[in-house]
Amino acid sequence: MQHWIAPSILSADFAKLGEEIGAVLDAGADIIHFDVMDNHYVPNLTIGPLVLQSLRSSGIDCYMDVHLMVKPVDRLIGDFVEAGADLISIHPESTEHLHRTLSLIRDGGAKAGIVFNPATSLSALEQAIKLVDLVLIMSVNPGFGGQAFIPSSLAKLKQARQRIDESGRDIRLEIDGGIKADNIADAARAGADTFVAGSAIFGSDDYAATIKTMRRALDETLAI
Ligand code: DX5
Ligand code: ZN
């Protein structure tokens, strides 16, 4: 599967969000990662469906990877589908009825993702794998950008990669948290194909140079 670099707008300048998204897309990003936090499921508060809708109305038509860190989550799914989400990821801990929540996303016409926190086992995947288009492994505890990558996430990625391959289904494997140019290749070798990076990209002076360095590190893993 082709490698996708997904800048997280959590670290963008929110006063000029549309421009920031345009800039990272021009700089070579494949998709945009849109972090939604509610100060309940996670201890931070970000943006909601109205912001996504405004971005769409302003002409931003890239693939939007919406990561919901909100509880309860079901009520917001329809709003994000309507606003123009391509994929919506949810945490099993944020719903009482995982099957229903994943079905709501897919029935609405978006792709569905399931997210595993650092201390959450992959056991829910056994039943959910038929309902997902993406598995997201958190390599930090969700809530903030700029945290350090948790090394045990690499073993978890390998496990997830194995389960995805065994399923024979077309499922992307994403890693989120603490991804930089110097560890992105490790994540790729462990099986990830989609790489969220917030502070590493938006915190750099030259988005294009940073994304290019990441892409080169990823391409080298394919050459081996
Ligand atoms: C954390 C978010 C991440 C975050 C990543 O809860 O889900 O997407 O923005 O930021 P960095 O790349 O700075 O760790
Ligand atoms: Zn995220």
Side-chain angles (χ1 to χ4, degrees):
M1 215 175 269
Q2 203 195 336
H3 289 140
W4 282 358
I5 295 175
S8 160
I9 55 174
L10 185 61
S11 293
D13 181 346
F14 280 91
K16 45 176 186 174
L17 194 50
E19 283 170 47
E20 288 272 73
I21 291 175
V24 286
L25 291 170
D26 287 349
D30 299 289
I31 65 172
I32 294 295
H33 186 79
F34 190 104
D35 284 308
V36 182
M37 303 183 182
D38 68 347
N39 188 39
H40 173 69
Y41 178 64
V42 291
N44 200 357
L45 187 64
T46 61
I47 45 179
L50 288 177
V51 174
L52 179 56
Q53 198 179 38
S54 297
L55 292 169
R56 288 299 195 210
S57 305
S58 77
I60 289 171
D61 62 357
C62 65
Y63 191 100
M64 282 286 183
D65 166 30
V66 175
H67 176 192
L68 295 185
M69 291 159 274
V70 302
K71 186 177 182 176
V73 64
D74 288 5
R75 160 68 192 83
L76 285 174
I77 286 171
D79 292 353
F80 274 103
V81 170
E82 284 281 296
D86 293 286
L87 181 140
I88 299 175
S89 296
I90 55 115
H91 290 247
E93 299 90 345
S94 69
T95 176
E96 302 297 329
H97 305 287
L98 181 59
H99 186 287
R100 174 183 293 150
T101 306
L102 292 170
S103 302
L104 270 175
I105 299 171
R106 298 187 115 204
D107 293 349
K111 291 190 183 295
I114 184 168
V115 192
F116 294 96
N117 284 330
T120 304
S121 90
L122 295 178
S123 60
L125 200 52
E126 194 185 329
Q127 295 300 322
I129 201 153
K130 292 191 180 68
L131 293 166
V132 299
D133 305 285
L134 174 135
V135 174
L136 168 48
I137 303 297
M138 289 305 301
S139 38
V140 297
N141 287 295
F144 301 95
Q147 302 180 80
F149 182 86
I150 298 173
S152 59
S153 315
L154 292 176
K156 196 121 162 250
L157 271 178
K158 284 184 192 158
Q159 274 180 29
R161 167 51 59 203
Q162 195 180 345
R163 295 192 195 183
I164 290 170
D165 289 349
E166 282 165 5
S167 78
R169 299 195 65 252
D170 182 15
I171 296 173
R172 294 198 78 94
L173 180 56
E174 184 172 47
I175 185 85
D176 183 4
I179 292 292
K180 316 267 175 219
D182 63 3
N183 63 7
I184 197 167
D186 295 338
R189 281 190 286 266
D193 51 45
T194 305
F195 307 86
V196 177
S199 51
I201 294 174
F202 285 106
S204 72
D205 294 333
D206 184 340
Y207 299 165
T210 305
I211 291 173
K212 199 169 165 192
T213 309
M214 289 179 160
R215 183 91 58 201
R216 198 178 308 125
L218 290 173
D219 288 348
E220 280 167 15
T221 67
L222 295 174
I224 297 163

